[in-house]
Amino acid sequence: MAKILFVMTGADHWTLEDGTRHATGFWAEEAVVPYEAFRAAGHEVVVATPGGVVPPVDKGSLAAEVNGGQEGADRVAAALDTMTELRHPVRLEDVDLGDYAAVFYPGGHGPMEDLAVDATSGRVLVEVLESGKPLGVVCHGPAALLAAVKEDGSNAFAGYRIAAFTNAEELQAGLGEKARWLLQDRLTEAGVDVQVGEPWAPNVVVDRSLVTGQNPASSAPLAAELLKKLG
């Protein structure tokens, strides 16, 4: 059994171009599906957030229409209720990476607000990348990669192939035109090689120790790839 660190957003909103706050948090499926896969494989999960705040769930991610119907929505909500780790996060600032075999970042728009500019998270990402430990990041989670800046000012993930929530998906979801910046664009500007798949279809990219997924549909195959790396 290994310990897997879930680094999650503490933000309950995403500030849009006009200054308004879009209510958000983490995307339920992107936490629930990998959590269940890791626990079923016998691993322990520890949740960490900036400041140790309880990660807020994006209420939109609990809606029937994004969970294949009400039955799916009820199942995800029930699963969240059983994830006691969400209610007792540790402070990201206190994390010792040596305690963990792998690290995972779920998405949701929350990371666009806090983890994208969080220096502590950035240091954790640089450290896990240099350690060679498996690192999984899905959907908007790759916003956190923007804060992973090395001493020379370059991004630690420059040259890596990844999947992340795309411009096309952001536009189709209705927030692309309102955003201050788009994730695909910022990652590309940082030198990260974003591998764009079909909107809303599973797309998982593996590059060395890094496993990334484009969207919620990528959560399950990403978790499977991360488990392979854990052996």
Side-chain angles (χ1 to χ4, degrees):
M1 186 180 85
K3 284 171 76 172
I4 300 175
L5 181 69
F6 271 41
V7 180
M8 299 183 67
T9 182
D12 62 3
H13 67 276
W14 179 32
T15 306
L16 302 177
E17 180 65 45
D18 64 0
T20 59
R21 291 183 166 197
H22 171 72
T24 187
F26 70 88
W27 197 259
E29 179 182 11
E30 295 165 15
V32 166
V33 171
Y35 175 86
E36 291 181 333
F38 300 151
R39 293 289 293 154
H43 301 303
E44 180 184 346
V45 169
V46 175
V47 172
T49 61
V53 302
V54 174
V57 64
D58 186 323
K59 300 295 194 297
S61 69
L62 301 175
E65 56 266 29
V66 297
N67 287 290
Q70 191 58 49
E71 187 177 334
D74 291 344
R75 194 194 78 76
V76 166
L80 279 180
D81 282 343
T82 69
M83 292 170 64
T84 55
E85 297 89 347
L86 290 173
R87 297 191 285 278
H88 306 284
V90 300
R91 284 167 33 93
L92 185 58
E93 296 83 354
D94 298 335
V95 162
D96 179 351
L97 199 57
D99 295 337
Y100 302 95
V103 178
F104 174 68
Y105 279 68
H109 281 106
M112 301 280 280
E113 185 74 21
D114 63 351
L115 297 181
V117 294
D118 190 283
T120 302
S121 173
R123 286 196 300 274
V124 168
L125 285 167
V126 171
E127 188 180 341
V128 72
L129 199 64
E130 291 176 346
S131 75
K133 292 180 180 182
L135 170 63
V137 195
V138 69
C139 200
H140 287 92
L145 307 189
L146 297 171
V149 179
K150 297 192 289 188
E151 287 184 11
D152 64 4
S154 66
N155 191 283
F157 292 86
Y160 274 78
R161 294 180 302 107
I162 76 160
F165 203 68
T166 64
N167 291 357
E169 287 167 323
E170 202 71 83
L171 289 163
Q172 289 175 22
L175 286 171
E177 300 284 0
K178 303 173 184 178
R180 285 183 171 170
W181 52 276
L182 296 175
L183 181 57
Q184 180 186 330
D185 290 346
R186 277 286 176 87
L187 288 167
T188 302
E189 290 164 10
V192 183
D193 183 4
V194 181
Q195 306 281 301
V196 178
E198 288 296 315
W200 314 112
N203 178 32
V204 172
V205 176
V206 180
D207 188 346
R208 289 158 275 185
S209 59
L210 178 64
V211 184
T212 50
Q214 180 172 313
N215 45 37
S218 307
S219 298
L222 183 153
E225 288 292 339
L226 207 65
L227 284 171
K228 281 184 200 172
K229 288 191 172 295
L230 278 171

